[in-house]
Every structure is written in structure tokens, then in C-alpha cells.
Amino acid sequence: MNISDNIKKFQEDLPEDIKLIAISKTKPVDDILEAYEAGQRDFGENKIQEMTEKWEKLPKDIKWHMVGHVQRNKVKYMAPYVALIHAVDSLKLLKEIHKEADKNGRCIDCLLQIKIAEEDTKYGISAEKAKEILDSDEFKKLDYVKVKGLMGMATFTDDEAQVKKEFDHLKSVFKDFKERYTDMKILSMGMSGDYQIAINSGSNMVRIGSHIFGARN
Ligand SMILES: *Cc1c(COP(=O)(O)O)cnc(C)c1O
């Protein structure tokens, strides 16, 4: 199967209300163009410099998703064009995104990354911490940044019951947040290895890399 066939297969198989983000990190622009020509418009990267180089070279109707950990001093490079920042984990970072969005005359959509995995190598914050941020007066003053939902990564394991437990937990947090806050619409969970479990648990945005572009080196 080539990239184009892989995209078409996802277009056929994924329920309509589930958004596919093609994670193109480390892959060349020609690979992205092949997916683009098959109709894919949302792409995700985890390094700002790499994403910006690709944004410069590729069609401007591509929506670029930053799925990696973001350092505050790099926000300015993606602020002119980024569509959604998936892994926000602090009020400080939200403030920086707000500031750079304002400079660019736009509003930037974000997700808060909730830590659901048992491994402690993963980024993210607790649901309690996320509520603290969203309830703070400081956050409410940030007009140019919108928190549109939550993102999470499950433990990297073959134990499907464990993965399901973690995704189910995030889904229940999301449900609670939807009732408390406006704008909560996106639940970004599921990668190549676990997206079917994520969808069964209620994900509406999946981030697929290797199942589209092949293994990364
Ligand atoms: C790399 C990456 C993905 C895609 O991983 P695959 O296993 O190749 O599908 C998804 N989400 C994040 C945050 C990533 O860094």
C-alpha cells in the first residue's frame, strides 16, 4: 500500500465525525503532497522548525497541527499559521500563545494535554490542574487563545485493557469538561497502534503517522 491508498482507506473506514490528522514528522514534503493529493488537509508535526519549513513549501490550505511538547520561546515561529496546538500543559504557555496570536491578529486554538498513561515519561497535567487553569481569572483574560478540548496519550503497551482504561478515563474527564466549559469540542486520542480502542472510547480526533507514511527511522 502506498500513502495515497492508506489515506483513502482511512477516509473510507473512519466514521464521518472523526477527524484524521496525518502525522508527517520526519517525512519529506513529497510524502505530504501525496497525502494532500488524496484529499488529506490536516497534518501534524512535533517540531516547530520542521513544521515551519514544511508550511513554507506546501499548499497554504493545509491545516498544521502541533502535536509535540512546545517550548515557550518557539511559539512565535508557528503563531502566524498553526491551526491547533495539541499538547498545552501550563497557564504560562497559554499566555505566550495568546501574546503571539495577538501580534499576528488571530486567535489560536489549543488542547490541554491530560496525563493518562502510567509511564512517567509522558507529558501532560492532571484533570484537576486543567480545571485550575480554566477557572483562573488570568486565563479568562486571554482573548486570543481558545481551549477547544483535550488530548491524551495512552501507555505504550500491548495490554489493550490498560489502554482502554486510560482512554475511558480521558473520555469521562472530557464529558465533565464539556459540561463545565464552552468551546470544549475536541477529544484528540489515538495513534496508529491504538486508534481503534480510542475511537471505541469516544475519541473524535485521531493522530496517525506510521499507518499512513510507513515506519519512521
Ligand atoms: C508521532 C506521534 C503520533 C503518531 O504516531 P504513530 O504511532 O506513528 O501513529 C501521534 N501523536 C503524537 C503526539 C506523536 O508524537
Side-chain angles (χ1 to χ4, degrees), residues 23 25 46 67-68 151 153 190-193 207-211 216:
I23 305 298
K25 62 191 185 197
N46 69 342
V67 301
M151 180 269 214
M153 290 170 85
M191 315 183 5
S192 291
R207 309 178 309 271
I208 310 288
S210 45
H211 274 25
R216 288 177 298 272

Side-chain angles (χ1 to χ4, degrees), residues 82-99:
V82 68
L84 184 66
I85 304 175
H86 288 234
V88 176
D89 60 359
S90 73
L91 180 60
K92 270 185 173 172
L93 181 56
L94 285 166
K95 283 182 183 170
E96 181 67 20
I97 296 166
H98 160 86
K99 191 183 91 190

Side-chain angles (χ1 to χ4, degrees), residues 26-73:
T26 78
K27 299 296 178 179
V29 293
D30 284 349
D31 286 10
I32 299 175
L33 269 178
E34 187 176 340
Y36 178 88
E37 273 150 24
Q40 181 65 24
R41 290 294 178 274
D42 289 79
F43 293 88
E45 293 280 332
N46 69 342
K47 295 203 172 75
I48 293 176
Q49 187 180 334
E50 183 178 342
M51 183 168 78
T52 301
E53 284 167 10
K54 289 172 175 173
W55 166 69
E56 283 166 352
K57 289 182 191 145
L58 285 159
K60 288 298 171 283
D61 61 338
I62 288 179
K63 293 201 176 94
W64 291 100
H65 295 247
M66 173 43 61
V67 301
H69 185 70
V70 175
Q71 285 171 288
R72 268 180 291 150
N73 61 356

